[in-house]
Amino acid sequence: MLKVASGFIILLLLVGCNQKSGGEVPIKIFQSVDEREAILLQEGKEKRSCHVCGMDLVKFYKTSHSAEENGKNYQYCSIHCLENHLQKGVSLRNPKVVDIVSLKFIDASKAFYVVGSNKRATMSRVSKYAFLHESDAKFFQAQFGGEIMNFENALQKAKEDFKSHQ
Ligand SMILES: [Zn+2]
């Protein structure tokens, strides 16, 4: 009788533990947003997938980039896939990035990138998040670390990651 009772208590404890650690839903990570908040700039069946790696753009929305190629908009999960695509020698126009505060696309050339913070990275070991306002970038940097730089330098960092992977 005692044995049954203690087994029951252990079971209850296990259930309790599961509930506690179940706070993080596996599909939703720092980069994720609600589907209704994500802006998809591509058309067609593949519009929710990164143009290079096919990863889900809603799941990796906060690191999403876009650029025009032959007059059409394409969207990427990260600056890495954008850089990867650039390495094929294509010319991309009008690069844009998500401002993680407003969740809207902004001109990448005007964005403030925080590179190397302790917030999770997409397709890289080095995290990169973009902001419209320098003050927001500084606030993020004060909490999570990293270095503030412009698009060109962030792209350069992405390029270096490719080298270290090879
Ligand atoms: Zn990608």
Side-chain angles (χ1 to χ4, degrees), residues 50-55 57 76-78 80-82 122-123:
C50 172
H51 184 44
V52 170
C53 73
M55 289 209 305
L57 292 171
Y76 305 86
C77 69
S78 60
H80 294 267
C81 281
L82 180 75
T122 307
M123 301 293 281

Side-chain angles (χ1 to χ4, degrees), residues 5 12 26 31 40 52-53 68 70 86 92 114 116 133 142 146 165:
L12 273 182
Q31 293 96 318
L40 298 175
V52 170
C53 73
E68 282 170 35
N70 301 324
L86 277 172
L92 300 177
V114 178
H133 300 293
H165 281 171

